[in-house]
Amino acid sequence: VCVRVCVRVCVCACVCVCACVCVCVCVCVCVCSSVPQPKDDFQEELVIRPLHSGDIYASFQFRTLWETDFMRGNKVSHYRLFPKSLGQVISKFSVRELHISFTQGYWRTMQWGQPFLPSPPGAELWVWFQDSVTDVDGTWKELTNVLSGIFCASLNFIDSTNTVQPSASFKPLGIGNVTDHRFLRYATLPREIVCTENLTPWKKLLPCGSKAGLAVLLKSEKLFHSSFHSQAVHIRPVCQDWQCKTTSWELRQTLNVVFDLHTPGQGKLEWSLFKMFSRTLTEACPLASSSKIYIDITDDPQGEQFEVSPATHLLSQAMVLGDRRTFSVYDLTQQITFGTVRSLNLLIRWKSRDMLRPLLHAERYVAGYGLQTGEIHTLMYNNHPYRSFPVLLLDSVPWYLRLYIHTLTVTSKGKDNKPSYIHYQPSKDRVRPHLLEMLVQLPPNSVTEVTVQFERALLKWTEYTPDPNHGFYVGSSVISSLVPSIVAMDTNSTREQPLFSSFFPCKEESSYFMRVYTEPLLVNLPTPDFSMPYNVICLTCTVVAVGYGSLYNLLTRSFQIEEPSPGLAKRIANIIRKMRGVPPL
Amino acid sequence: FLGEQCCTMKILTLLSLLATHLSASSVNIEENAGQFFSSGHTNNWAVLVCTSRFWFNYRHVANTLSVYRSVKRLGIPDSHIVLMLADDMACNHRNPKPATVFSHKNMELNVYGDDVEVDYRGYEVTVENFLRVLTGRLPPSTPRSKRLLSDDRSNILIYLTGHGGNGFLKFQDSEEISNVELADAFEQMWQKRRYNELLFIIDTCQGASMYERFYSPNLMALASSQVGEDSLSHQPDLAIGVHLMDRYTFYLLEFLEDIHPSSKANMNDLFKVCPKSQCVSTPGHRTDLFLRDPGSALITDFFGSVRKVEITMETINLTEPIQQVDGSVSDGSSVVPPGVHR
């Protein structure tokens, strides 16, 4: 994309006739030169995957690639496809990588398989800062405040009590050999609610907004009436070519949603774009270089059990989540996709199908009784029949659940399983949370259980939320691992491939990266009765008033004899006697 | 020659009519211009606060959102509205229709809409944050969308709703703001020249007690009920299961739906909203601190937005060639030609 800069050069010649009429002739020449602008590129795609339980999983990805340099204080001021608000955030806070997600609902791995982009319930934010930052904690605090304004979320509640610095999980997903985890910060807000006010600014970051392209499908009334909804923004520097001679900045906006079969009330295994989003597609985003819809037809390529209309002959194969899957492709940049009615409403009909069991999934729950102690159990399932693989477990527990690390046990198949790497940072009251990272080898076809006991703390009465009887949330555990894959994965990340298969960089051919989040926990802390201060004041004042008042009266009261006032007859008699001059009765 | 005379007569009458029309319309323009600047404000802000938490206080969120909707419709942009909602009703798991908040039963009007931006939500709605927003004393890293960046030419609309009593308003069932604190906050705003005129509307029980203690100039206040009276809710919706709106704000919304950006309705019409027959409580208002006559204050002075227009007699030459800045233009800096006002 070149910007033409034109300079106009005018040469005027005036001829005066008759000393009063001048005729001027100007010859203007435009000299244009092309000034190269940094290249930016926008792609959008939608992947639809029918799920085993009858639900349907739709994943939107919008990617903007921009060949520019935000690092080392470079001043960037001409924005085209890349949103200016995020560009300014990156420059001002020297951000190297930023990943933020807002999720409503919990991803059910056993029923739905693996998501393309996992995310925990609530809000999650992790950032790698550049090594030029001197005060990482201060910059982190300012960054969370600015992001809370951009995304209309309460991210300003992220502070040192819920921020950790993981040492092994959350390695950079973009280029960079930064391994000093002093520049990494990770925080979750499991209580954060996601609603239209978070979707509105997210949509405004897209180049076409929600006016054209795939983003017209993003209507909040349908998106939030679902089993799972997650929207995220990922910013990282990536290589443009195999040798990594040029780098560019990648902004990915992703939205994952799982629609429940039974919500619209029909119950048939039949889905269409209109049924899911209450909209159909009429055009691609004019600023997009590629705009595609992929429908996963792997389980039934012949079309016996599975029907997609309008039919398409474009097929594509991609290696995703350790499996080679086949997709029907609809290219929205071609006018023919929309047919004669000029609108695209995909209809997908299938009979129930088997699902490949996910290789890794996890659960977590709180055991115990009462309001004093408890036990956190994390179960990790390895469903591979003969391969074992290591997983990295990251646990961040708030300070008011005091973990007793000497009670930490890791057992697989009933036997003790010692982790090969443990990084534990104890909590400090009101300053920082517990951080526990462990590398555990999961034996094949087994369940590994991690248990740790804790004690609940009593908070100061001003530290309770306005609704303390709801309970307090503990953020999800993160389990990251390289899972052995069935097919050989593609390690060349710069090759042209669909967006959903190119998010996590692939370093080896025999395994792929997977991240699994457990459920957040809801624990009750011993809660005082907040009406007690008022009760105590009333009681004390009453006791003091009654006790002191009675004592005062007893000590200071003196008794006097008083004549009662006489009745009416006696008063009249006294008046007559006074008139007669006789003493009264 | 009669025809000629007729023609000239016609032309003369036409010309005279045209002249009178022109003079009349020019007078009209001047009148309009005069009225335009009579209020003295150049920008509008709104601070809309819902202070109640929990699902059964759905109506307070619906109240605030209906005022938000009216204010946005009449022209105030999101960047000039500070919206504080203490709980989330739209995506609450008890809401049978997620991402919606209705004001009329049978789900007629979704006041939540598709384009809402909530600035303070959930636990952020506290007395301290509310007073900091009003007085402007926020920590330096607070984003712009959470600040009230008003100046001395701003007209501000402040709307509060929730549960209240005689002299206080409850925030999230855990703390209160008293009428003295509110009056002092407005006095701080006046001394820092943070408003030109301020309209304060409150829809709670015994709402009139909240404006009793005001003492700063240029304040006008409306409340939904007098001291000793309760404000009542309007109607429940059986599908959602809670009361949808409070009476005063319901009739206020109905009144505002008829107002459009060029409407000439004034504050006296606003005082008549929701008489005792409809509201059961007696709405009150206070105008003694307001320097102008309420009859001359338009509804759109507070609920609508003003675009700053300066009429100038200066001529500006736009035909000069655009000059090149030293160096390349590739860094994208914008070039301002000389002689053009920004």
Side-chain angles (χ1 to χ4, degrees):
Chain A
V1 171
C2 289
V3 164
R4 293 163 70 82
V5 172
C6 292
V7 175
R8 220 169 77 159
V9 175
C10 289
V11 173
C12 289
C14 289
V15 172
C16 287
V17 171
C18 300
C20 52
V21 175
C22 282
V23 175
C24 286
V25 174
C26 286
V27 173
C28 293
V29 170
C30 273
V31 173
C32 293
S33 65
S34 293
V35 175
Q37 279 281 302
K39 288 194 320 195
D40 53 4
D41 175 59
F42 174 67
Q43 293 176 0
E44 54 179 19
E45 87 181 15
L46 164 63
V47 182
I48 300 181
R49 193 164 94 193
L51 297 171
H52 147 76
S53 53
D55 305 329
I56 195 156
Y57 170 36
S59 171
F60 291 82
Q61 280 207 40
F62 302 92
R63 179 175 83 160
T64 307
L65 268 179
W66 195 20
E67 254 180 58
T68 182
D69 195 4
F70 282 114
M71 303 219 250
R72 284 176 292 278
N74 229 12
K75 190 168 182 302
V76 181
S77 47
H78 185 69
Y79 291 86
R80 191 175 152 253
L81 295 177
F82 201 93
K84 186 171 176 182
S85 49
L86 290 181
Q88 287 181 329
V89 163
I90 301 172
S91 313
K92 180 157 189 237
F93 298 109
S94 307
V95 163
R96 186 181 192 85
E97 271 192 37
L98 187 142
H99 301 270
I100 184 167
S101 73
F102 297 96
T103 309
Q104 177 204 60
Y106 177 65
W107 183 270
R108 302 184 189 286
T109 314
M110 282 310 278
Q111 288 165 337
W112 300 338
Q114 279 292 336
F116 295 122
L117 287 136
S119 53
E124 183 200 43
L125 171 67
W126 58 281
V127 175
W128 274 95
F129 290 97
Q130 295 169 23
D131 38 12
S132 57
V133 174
T134 45
D135 176 20
V136 183
D137 286 318
T139 318
W140 169 250
K141 188 78 192 126
E142 284 182 29
L143 176 65
T144 51
N145 274 323
V146 165
L147 289 175
S148 85
I150 294 178
F151 291 107
C152 287
S154 325
L155 297 174
N156 46 320
F157 284 128
I158 293 179
D159 56 9
S160 66
T161 60
N162 48 22
T163 307
V164 290
Q165 298 177 35
S167 62
S169 317
F170 296 105
K171 289 283 177 234
L173 289 177
I175 53 168
N177 43 9
V178 181
T179 48
D180 190 351
H181 64 272
R182 281 185 301 129
F183 295 103
L184 169 65
R185 292 290 183 274
Y186 172 83
T188 53
L189 291 173
R191 185 81 206 263
E192 191 65 19
I193 299 157
V194 186
C195 209
T196 311
E197 64 253 22
N198 305 112
L199 185 64
T200 307
W202 188 93
K203 284 197 285 192
K204 286 184 183 163
L205 296 173
L206 296 169
C208 282
S210 54
K211 310 257 187 318
L214 291 170
V216 301
L217 298 175
L218 303 175
K219 290 295 159 200
S220 56
E221 284 189 22
K222 283 290 190 175
L223 283 180
F224 291 104
H225 201 37
S226 57
S227 308
F228 177 84
H229 168 99
S230 169
Q231 65 199 54
V233 172
H234 301 276
I235 302 176
R236 57 182 176 170
V238 293
C239 291
Q240 280 288 77
D241 55 358
W242 184 227
Q243 281 90 6
C244 215
K245 282 208 247 14
T246 46
T247 63
S248 48
W249 281 81
E250 180 192 76
L251 163 71
R252 278 195 199 222
Q253 286 180 252
T254 64
L255 196 141
N256 292 334
V257 59
V258 174
F259 290 105
D260 190 5
L261 175 67
H262 299 288
T263 314
Q266 248 186 303
K268 278 193 285 182
L269 289 180
E270 181 185 288
W271 287 96
S272 69
L273 281 185
F274 190 76
K275 187 173 165 187
M276 288 194 271
F277 303 108
S278 69
R279 290 285 184 287
T280 57
L281 289 166
T282 49
E283 56 168 347
C285 172
L287 298 167
S289 62
S290 133
S291 177
K292 291 198 167 87
I293 300 183
Y294 294 87
I295 303 191
D296 191 340
I297 56 168
T298 314
D299 294 328
D300 193 273
Q302 272 75 37
E304 293 144 3
Q305 291 203 321
F306 192 83
E307 188 193 319
V308 180
S309 72
T312 177
H313 299 294
L314 284 171
L315 290 177
S316 143
Q317 285 209 332
M319 242 83 69
V320 60
L321 297 172
D323 195 10
R324 176 175 288 122
R325 301 194 73 82
T326 318
F327 296 87
S328 291
V329 184
Y330 292 81
D331 190 351
L332 297 180
T333 49
Q334 310 292 329
Q335 203 48 38
I336 197 162
T337 319
F338 298 104
T340 45
V341 296
R342 303 274 278 272
S343 109
L344 176 66
N345 182 18
L346 292 169
L347 188 66
I348 305 161
R349 214 179 277 131
W350 75 99
K351 304 188 184 44
S352 103
R353 46 217 300 240
D354 299 320
M355 189 186 72
L356 189 70
R357 249 174 117 207
L359 286 178
L360 173 68
H361 79 279
E363 287 170 1
R364 192 168 68 150
Y365 57 89
V366 172
Y369 61 91
L371 283 176
Q372 194 182 0
T373 53
E375 211 171 83
I376 299 181
H377 290 242
T378 311
L379 290 109
M380 294 182 283
Y381 295 81
N382 176 359
N383 292 324
H384 201 286
Y386 54 84
R387 291 279 302 270
S388 73
F389 51 86
V391 298
L392 197 59
L393 172 66
L394 170 73
D395 247 318
S396 166
V397 178
W399 64 266
Y400 41 81
L401 296 186
R402 303 211 163 99
L403 295 182
Y404 290 120
I405 288 297
H406 73 278
T407 60
L408 175 70
T409 61
V410 184
T411 48
S412 307
K413 290 181 177 169
K415 285 189 298 212
D416 220 12
N417 182 352
K418 205 160 149 19
S420 50
Y421 167 76
I422 300 186
H423 172 235
Y424 174 64
Q425 193 183 45
S427 71
K428 218 165 163 187
D429 273 9
R430 298 178 181 86
V431 171
R432 55 167 197 250
H434 297 273
L435 172 66
L436 178 63
E437 275 187 282
M438 294 194 296
L439 186 66
V440 182
Q441 187 83 2
L442 300 184
N445 210 14
S446 68
V447 182
T448 305
E449 188 169 349
V450 178
T451 61
V452 63
Q453 289 181 9
F454 65 88
E455 190 185 65
R456 297 167 216 235
L458 191 64
L459 301 178
K460 295 182 186 167
W461 78 288
T462 48
E463 289 172 344
Y464 286 95
T465 55
D467 52 351
N469 292 299
H470 180 90
F472 289 78
Y473 283 88
V474 178
S476 312
S477 298
V478 189
I479 295 161
S480 324
S481 107
L482 282 171
V483 179
S485 98
I486 306 169
V487 296
M489 302 295 291
D490 185 9
T491 51
N492 182 358
S493 60
T494 57
R495 221 167 53 133
E496 188 69 31
Q497 50 185 309
L499 295 175
F500 60 88
S501 58
S502 63
F503 185 71
F504 288 113
C506 214
K507 300 276 172 29
E508 303 167 359
E509 282 191 345
S510 56
S511 58
Y512 63 97
F513 180 76
M514 190 147 84
R515 195 169 272 152
V516 176
Y517 290 93
T518 64
E519 301 96 325
L521 299 173
L522 187 60
V523 292
N524 270 74
L525 289 184
T527 307
D529 183 356
F530 293 100
S531 62
M532 276 316 284
Y534 171 74
N535 295 346
V536 166
I537 292 171
C538 283
L539 190 66
T540 318
C541 291
T542 310
V543 166
V544 166
V546 168
Y548 175 72
S550 315
L551 201 62
Y552 179 78
N553 278 337
L554 277 174
L555 292 176
T556 56
R557 205 182 290 171
S558 63
F559 293 94
Q560 291 171 340
I561 298 174
E562 197 184 276
E563 293 278 328
S565 60
L568 184 62
K570 264 202 182 157
R571 272 194 283 181
I572 293 172
N574 278 339
I575 291 169
I576 296 169
R577 286 172 90 109
K578 207 159 65 165
M579 284 194 315
R580 279 170 58 192
V582 172
L585 290 167
Chain B
F1 91 108
L2 242 166
E4 271 185 15
Q5 262 195 343
C6 274
C7 274
T8 44
M9 280 301 290
K10 276 188 196 166
I11 291 169
L12 276 173
T13 42
L14 278 173
L15 279 173
S16 57
L17 277 172
L18 194 63
T20 46
H21 174 73
L22 276 175
S23 60
S25 62
S26 67
V27 162
N28 228 3
I29 288 172
E30 281 189 16
E31 249 181 39
N32 279 343
Q35 205 168 41
F36 202 69
F37 295 113
S38 64
S39 67
H41 73 284
T42 56
N43 55 78
N44 284 82
W45 287 81
V47 178
L48 311 173
V49 184
C50 160
T51 59
S52 301
R53 168 165 282 274
F54 304 121
W55 172 246
F56 50 82
N57 290 320
Y58 182 103
R59 59 189 186 277
H60 297 140
V61 172
N63 288 350
T64 317
L65 285 172
S66 49
V67 177
Y68 172 76
R69 172 204 149 78
S70 308
V71 145
K72 250 177 104 154
R73 196 175 51 82
L74 292 171
I76 303 188
D78 268 312
S79 53
H80 282 225
I81 302 177
V82 177
L83 179 62
M84 302 171 81
L85 296 180
D87 201 359
D88 169 56
M89 299 302 166
C91 288
N92 195 315
H93 295 293
R94 284 165 144 166
N95 194 346
K97 292 207 84 180
T100 57
V101 173
F102 292 106
S103 60
H104 288 62
K105 70 172 179 204
N106 301 325
M107 304 186 187
E108 282 166 25
L109 180 60
N110 174 17
V111 288
Y112 195 59
D114 213 17
D115 193 26
V116 61
E117 283 182 25
V118 182
D119 302 304
Y120 287 84
R121 55 185 206 156
Y123 299 132
E124 291 179 286
V125 179
T126 57
V127 173
E128 186 189 338
N129 281 348
F130 175 59
L131 292 177
R132 281 187 186 276
V133 164
L134 287 184
T135 53
R137 293 160 143 176
L138 290 157
S141 53
T142 314
R144 282 181 72 102
S145 58
K146 287 183 163 174
R147 288 180 188 259
L148 178 65
L149 297 164
S150 56
D151 51 32
D152 65 319
R153 290 264 140 255
S154 307
N155 272 13
I156 307 183
L157 166 72
I158 296 187
Y159 177 81
L160 291 174
T161 183
H163 288 287
N166 190 354
F168 68 91
L169 172 62
K170 209 160 63 147
F171 266 70
Q172 295 213 42
D173 208 21
S174 67
E175 47 181 8
E176 300 100 33
I177 186 173
S178 65
N179 48 6
V180 176
E181 282 175 353
L182 198 56
D184 286 341
F186 287 155
E187 177 64 15
Q188 279 192 51
M189 286 174 79
W190 174 253
Q191 291 194 3
K192 287 163 80 164
R193 295 289 176 265
R194 281 171 68 78
Y195 70 90
N196 174 38
E197 285 168 350
L198 201 144
L199 175 64
F200 174 78
I201 305 182
I202 184 160
D203 187 350
T204 63
C205 302
Q206 309 194 48
S209 62
M210 290 303 285
Y211 60 65
E212 272 171 4
R213 300 292 195 111
F214 288 173
Y215 55 94
S216 317
N218 267 344
L219 291 178
M220 194 185 321
L222 276 108
S224 58
S225 55
Q226 300 293 333
V227 175
E229 283 181 348
D230 286 339
S231 283
L232 301 178
S233 60
H234 185 76
Q235 50 182 299
D237 181 299
L238 296 175
I240 299 178
V242 285
H243 283 258
L244 294 183
M245 282 273 268
D246 277 331
R247 280 174 189 256
Y248 182 74
T249 314
F250 182 82
Y251 290 108
L252 180 68
L253 174 66
E254 264 189 17
F255 171 76
L256 288 173
E257 290 285 301
D258 289 331
I259 306 284
H260 51 88
S262 55
S263 162
K264 293 275 169 276
N266 58 36
M267 284 296 156
N268 287 331
D269 303 325
L270 193 63
F271 298 151
K272 293 196 201 104
V273 163
C274 208
K276 195 172 164 79
S277 54
Q278 283 174 330
C279 252
V280 185
S281 58
T282 319
H285 54 90
R286 182 175 174 182
T287 52
D288 56 317
L289 293 166
F290 200 67
L291 297 177
R292 281 194 295 154
D293 172 36
S296 71
L298 300 178
I299 304 273
T300 50
D301 279 352
F302 293 100
F303 286 87
S305 181
V306 156
R307 301 261 184 288
K308 178 171 177 178
V309 172
E310 267 183 21
I311 301 173
T312 172
M313 293 302 157
E314 220 179 288
T315 50
I316 295 161
N317 194 349
L318 287 172
T319 56
E320 284 169 19
I322 295 175
Q323 290 173 359
Q324 286 295 318
V325 180
D326 283 340
S328 65
V329 195
S330 63
D331 64 345
S333 53
S334 55
V335 178
V336 182
V340 174
H341 291 274
R342 267 298 176 99

